[in-house]
């Protein structure tokens, strides 16, 4: 049976430009390579990744009643995402992200939240009528919506998976109920704990600090090219990632945590799930764009077979 995962999170249209080198303040750089509009948003990337990886993916979000909103909803539907709980906001436009990708694949993102900023407790409550097996939350929506999703999940004994992006130092983690997995990246870990997870001692300190703020079965810190660090309160393990070309890191973290969630729900094996998520992250950074880079389950299986890791 397919796992039914409810993603409560954000949707954006991404405006993406590639640059060789970022301009200094006051400098104008003429960059004649093409620009693109690519469907993105942390939540949409996760919901699409889950659908492509074989989950029954339900997305609770807010889009504007505009062209971008229309295009995004059509894309979700054509990828098999259940869009019944996406609300169309008449007053606010669809979220927009301005993304600059440097030649080494690193990105810088500025988000105008638009309709995402109006996702409400009522929107979230409505979505729980789908009776999910798990709920997947990120922080690119109002705290009210995140806390509502956690509250409704807890009330129904539904496991909660948190991808702690985007980074925010004042996030009220203490208000969340016990989680199954919380997965921040390096900058999110720094923002939430004040500790940069740049070596194994600091990974352990940061993971323990996170567990002091919110109970979770596992902390999984995403370390980019170094892999991911698992901590369960007692034991820790660094799972290195796979070698691969880095074209654009956009959406790698969203896809990693969604793959981790699905594989963990399917197998209950955290190490196997992180390896699977590492494979998905490697495939995503090898392609340009957010939603355009998300692999299918068959692509991940073939990658793992090629790398002798199946
Ligand atoms: O995590 C990548 C995403 O962050 C982009 O798609 C952008 O829309 C922002 O939400």
């Amino acid at each position: 049976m397919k796992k039914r995962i409810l993603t409560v999170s954000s949707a954006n249209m991404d405006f993406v430009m590639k640059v060789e080198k970022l301009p200094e303040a006051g400098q104008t750089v003429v960059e004649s390579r093409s620009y693109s509009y690519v469907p993105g948003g942390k939540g949409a990337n996760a919901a699409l990744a889950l659908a492509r990886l074989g989950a029954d993916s339900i997305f609770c979000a807010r889009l504007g009643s505009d062209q971008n909103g229309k295009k995004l909803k059509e894309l979700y539907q054509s990828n098999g995402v259940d869009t019944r709980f996406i609300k169309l906001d008449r007053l606010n436009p669809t979220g927009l992200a301005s993304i600059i990708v440097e030649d080494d694949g690193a990105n810088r993102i500025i988000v105008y939240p638009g309709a995402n900023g109006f996702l409400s407790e009522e929107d979230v409550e409505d979505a729980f009528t789908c009776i999910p097996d798990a709920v997947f939350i990120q922080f690119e929506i109002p705290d009210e919506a995140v806390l509502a999703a956690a509250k409704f999940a807890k009330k129904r004994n539904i496991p909660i998976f948190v991808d702690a992006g985007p980074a925010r130092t004042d996030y009220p983690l203490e208000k969340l109920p016990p989680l199954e997995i919380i997965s921040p990246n390096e900058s999110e870990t720094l923002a939430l704990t004040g500790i940069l997870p740049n070596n194994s001692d600091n990974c352990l300190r940061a993971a323990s600090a996170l567990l002091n703020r919110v109970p979770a079965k596992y902390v999984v810190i995403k370390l980019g090219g170094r892999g991911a660090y698992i901590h369960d309160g007692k034991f820790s393990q660094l799972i290195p990632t796979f070698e691969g070309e880095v074209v654009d890191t956009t959406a790698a973290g969203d896809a990693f945590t969604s793959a981790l969630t699905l594989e963990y729900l399917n197998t209950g094996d955290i190490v196997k799930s992180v390896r699977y998520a590492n494979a998905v992250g490697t495939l995503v950074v090898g392609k340009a764009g957010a939603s355009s880079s998300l692999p299918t389950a068959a692509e991940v299986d073939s990658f793992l077979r090629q790398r002798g890791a199946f």
Side-chain angles (χ1 to χ4, degrees), residues 12 14 40-42 45 97 99 109 111 140 250-251 254 290:
N12 297 326
D14 293 350
K42 295 191 187 301
N45 297 339
I99 305 188
I109 305 179
V111 174
E140 208 170 45
T250 310
D254 311 327

